[in-house]
Amino acid sequence: MMRRLTRRIVFFAVLASLLGFCLPQDRVGAREETVKPQSFPDLYEASIAELQAGLASGLFTSVDLVQAYFARIEEVNLQGPTLRAVIETNPSALAQAAALDQERQLTGPRSPLHGIPIIVKDNIATLHSEGMNTTAGSFALLGSVVPRDATVAAKLRAAGTIILGKANLSEWANFRGRVPSGFSGRGGQASSPYVPLGDPSGSSSGSGISSAIGLAAGALGSETDGSIVSPSQNNNLVGIKPTVGLTSRAGVVPISEHQDTVGPMCRSVADAATILTIIAGRDPLDNFTLAQPTVVPDYTKALDKTALKGVRLGIPRGFSPGNQNIIAAFNASVEIIRLLGATVIDPTDFPSLAEIRASRNETIVLDTDFKVDVNRYIADLVEVPTGVKNLADLIAFNSAHADQELVEPFWTDQSTFIASENTTVNQAYFDALAADKDIGQTRGIDATLEMFNLDALLLPTSGASGPAAIAGYPIVTVPLGFQPANTTLSPAQPTRSMGPNQPFGISFMGTAFSEFKLISYAFAYEQATHNRLKQLAFPEAIPKTQLTDIVGK
């Protein structure tokens, strides 16, 4: 149940926050770690560096931050625009914040994330004893007891991060069936803060919404194919989809060990780089992480405004979306990137483009992996009060609890579950795995980079996820633009697929473990354009509570 906090907002605080929203260009700087706030940072856009500076100076505490974010969640989650971004908040967060405040006074901060509240997707395990569930949005796992924190959650905690709550998501990371993005049985139907009842995309829907409007300092999402970069795009965020194996998936409710990855969804490249530096690294509980370089880079050292100078980028036009507003904004940004010193080769289509378009290999791999991987995940749980033991039980549970899970009229389908249950690990599966590697890596991304002597690929985010998904390669998406104000508002069924001011993004894609370079290019582009605050969320979706309403009250 959501924590209910009394909102203590006075007139001058509201006026101050509204005036802050009227200064978009000044709110997106390079976010240097030496930022020293002279006043409370605006929580709609506050960077991790700004929050750390305020904590270090004693302007406010982590307890204040948690209280402020809880109040902001309360305003818009199940009230007002009912965005349904957060499934539950952490009942231990205030006590953890108080302990971290005391530790800061005694011994100093552990890391740049010390005392910083972060939202994590509800497929990322957190200790049951802390008071939160890990359910992938499903009532079938409600009350289940995980054996340990997910490794990425444990890394956040070790860095002094406060896990503020669990974000809503497309249930089972959008792998149950043909169901609108952002719906889960437990969380309901999430929607966009930019288009009323708009599609938030998924499956990391709540992570995107929460980060976009300052319900936390940042968020973690997960991606199999598009589930970080697509909701980052729709919610006007920076999203990093890491190479498969850079961040551990241990303790994350799975779809596929071959494509799943966990990454940050934040308001700036700097914040995303800060979080990625903490969560990356080898983990004996996830063999895929053992293939990564021995030393994890400090990705904040990639934050170089001049990084595009002398770089060669290629545009694989074969993956471009059909929306002409996106194409026009993308083409304009290509010229900006050239002015920043990059050489842009256009087009640079994959040798395997036609095969990728026609392939069903990804479906074969994901359907087969899910049955194996989710059965293993459930078997590792300490306790499952609902009694489900495997995928077949999940299908039966949904049928028996259709009023909670298979809800009329939009959310009734579980055909992907059923297709997965009917799979076996056979030669067709191994052939599909090999084919994906061939067309995604060898004759896809890697061949294109080599053929045109490129450092990275550049494309609209709408077309970026597929080739990187089957390759297991990284993407960094950055805000690019917004649909025009005269865009026709789509009907709500139950969410709107299109509407005025709907955000879209631009992506930098590369080979395995090229995140440092991609982050540097993304940062240089972000700092040259400052696109994010050219359009705010719609007014009702912007929480009004600020630190001034909390500190000393």
Side-chain angles (χ1 to χ4, degrees):
M1 181 174 295
M2 296 298 300
R3 176 180 297 271
R4 300 208 172 270
L5 299 173
T6 303
R7 289 179 293 169
R8 295 161 290 186
I9 305 177
V10 295
F11 172 79
F12 74 85
V14 177
L15 181 61
S17 75
L18 288 174
L19 288 173
F21 296 148
C22 295
L23 302 170
Q25 291 301 322
D26 294 337
R27 299 294 297 139
V28 208
R31 300 168 192 268
E32 304 292 341
E33 292 299 318
T34 56
V35 171
K36 291 184 173 145
Q38 301 303 311
S39 60
F40 294 119
D42 175 2
L43 294 180
Y44 183 90
E45 193 64 14
S47 70
I48 290 171
E50 287 175 312
L51 295 177
Q52 276 296 349
L55 291 167
S57 69
L59 188 63
F60 51 85
T61 66
S62 291
V63 168
D64 293 328
L65 273 181
V66 169
Q67 289 177 327
Y69 284 131
F70 276 166
R72 291 171 70 83
I73 292 168
E74 178 75 12
E75 286 185 64
V76 298
N77 196 55
L78 299 180
Q79 300 182 57
T82 59
L83 300 178
R84 298 188 181 276
V86 181
I87 291 182
E88 58 185 308
T89 53
N90 184 355
S92 302
L94 283 169
Q96 292 170 6
L100 288 163
D101 283 335
Q102 184 177 33
E103 181 181 324
R104 179 187 296 275
Q105 290 183 334
L106 293 175
T107 59
R110 302 181 196 177
S111 81
L113 291 182
H114 185 106
I116 300 295
I118 300 292
I119 290 272
V120 302
K121 189 175 179 179
D122 185 43
N123 62 348
I124 297 173
T126 53
L127 286 174
H128 190 262
S129 58
E130 184 180 47
M132 290 191 293
N133 292 282
T134 303
T135 66
S138 172
F139 283 103
L141 293 185
L142 185 61
S144 61
V145 180
V146 298
R148 65 190 71 84
D149 272 333
T151 299
V152 289
K155 284 175 173 285
L156 287 176
R157 287 195 207 281
T161 312
I162 300 161
I163 298 178
L164 190 70
K166 291 296 187 71
N168 198 8
L169 70 165
S170 307
E171 188 172 299
W172 295 102
N174 204 29
F175 211 73
R176 195 188 78 184
R178 291 184 298 273
V179 178
S181 289
F183 170 81
S184 72
R186 289 193 62 220
Q189 178 64 60
S191 60
S192 166
Y194 286 89
V195 178
L197 296 181
D199 176 13
S201 192
S203 62
S204 304
S205 315
S207 299
I209 299 164
S210 297
S211 194
I213 56 174
L215 303 186
L220 286 192
S222 67
E223 175 155 333
T224 307
D225 186 338
S227 288
I228 289 173
V229 298
S230 185
S232 292
Q233 166 177 252
N234 277 34
N235 291 284
N236 196 23
L237 294 172
V238 173
I240 300 178
K241 179 252 178 178
T243 305
V244 173
L246 181 66
T247 56
S248 173
R249 291 85 48 83
V252 179
V253 181
I255 292 178
S256 166
E257 66 176 3
H258 295 98
Q259 291 188 203
D260 292 351
T261 187
V262 178
M265 301 169 68
C266 297
R267 295 180 289 272
S268 70
V269 176
D271 287 354
T274 298
I275 293 176
L276 184 62
T277 301
I278 297 296
I279 65 171
R282 296 185 174 194
D283 177 17
L285 297 176
D286 182 351
N287 288 338
F288 280 68
T289 65
L290 304 182
Q292 70 179 264
T294 306
V295 178
V296 176
D298 178 352
Y299 293 106
T300 65
K301 295 189 184 311
L303 304 178
D304 177 4
K305 292 181 183 180
T306 68
L308 284 167
K309 188 174 182 180
V311 167
R312 288 177 60 86
L313 303 176
I315 302 175
R317 290 281 178 178
F319 298 109
S320 293
N323 186 283
Q324 291 308 303
N325 294 324
I326 296 177
I327 295 299
F330 175 77
N331 289 341
S333 276
V334 170
E335 295 310 310
I336 293 172
I337 287 168
R338 285 183 168 131
L339 289 173
L340 292 171
T343 299
V344 181
I345 313 301
D346 183 9
T348 57
D349 281 322
F350 291 13
S352 59
L353 175 61
E355 292 166 86
I356 290 174
R357 286 174 169 172
S359 175
R360 288 194 68 257
N361 293 318
E362 184 180 23
T363 299
I364 295 170
V365 170
L366 298 188
D367 284 355
T368 307
D369 277 351
F370 181 73
K371 180 180 178 181
V372 173
D373 294 348
V374 83
N375 286 355
R376 182 187 300 123
Y377 175 86
I378 295 171
D380 285 344
L381 293 173
V382 176
E383 180 183 349
V384 187
T386 61
V388 296
K389 293 182 172 61
N390 50 41
L391 178 55
D393 288 347
L394 294 177
I395 295 167
F397 178 93
N398 289 341
S399 297
H401 300 83
D403 59 326
Q404 294 177 306
E405 290 290 345
L406 308 180
V407 183
E408 297 282 355
F410 300 108
W411 307 286
T412 60
D413 192 57
Q414 57 174 336
S415 59
T416 308
F417 266 14
I418 293 167
S420 179
E421 176 59 23
N422 290 329
T423 62
T424 57
V425 177
N426 55 22
Q427 190 58 47
Y429 164 74
F430 291 114
D431 290 345
L433 269 177
D436 272 353
K437 182 175 181 179
D438 177 45
I439 64 175
Q441 294 182 5
T442 309
R443 292 190 297 117
I445 293 171
D446 289 333
T448 306
L449 293 173
E450 183 177 355
M451 185 185 315
F452 295 96
N453 188 27
L454 303 174
D455 295 288
L457 300 168
L458 179 71
L459 65 168
T461 299
S462 300
S465 72
I470 62 173
Y473 283 178
I475 305 171
V476 179
T477 180
V478 185
L480 169 60
F482 307 86
Q483 294 295 335
N486 63 355
T487 301
T488 301
L489 189 64
S490 302
Q493 297 176 333
T495 55
R496 306 182 192 278
S497 61
M498 183 62 65
N501 304 324
Q502 180 170 303
F504 49 82
I506 185 171
S507 283
F508 298 83
M509 179 193 301
T511 191
F513 305 113
S514 62
E515 284 83 357
F516 192 95
K517 289 200 303 183
L518 301 183
I519 289 167
S520 72
Y521 307 154
F523 181 76
Y525 172 79
E526 173 197 56
Q527 294 302 302
T529 57
H530 297 310
N531 288 328
R532 180 177 141 75
L533 288 182
K534 291 176 181 176
Q535 176 64 54
L536 300 180
F538 64 88
E540 295 82 3
I542 299 175
K544 295 180 173 54
T545 301
Q546 295 285 351
L547 281 163
T548 189
D549 305 306
I550 302 297
V551 177
K553 304 295 195 299

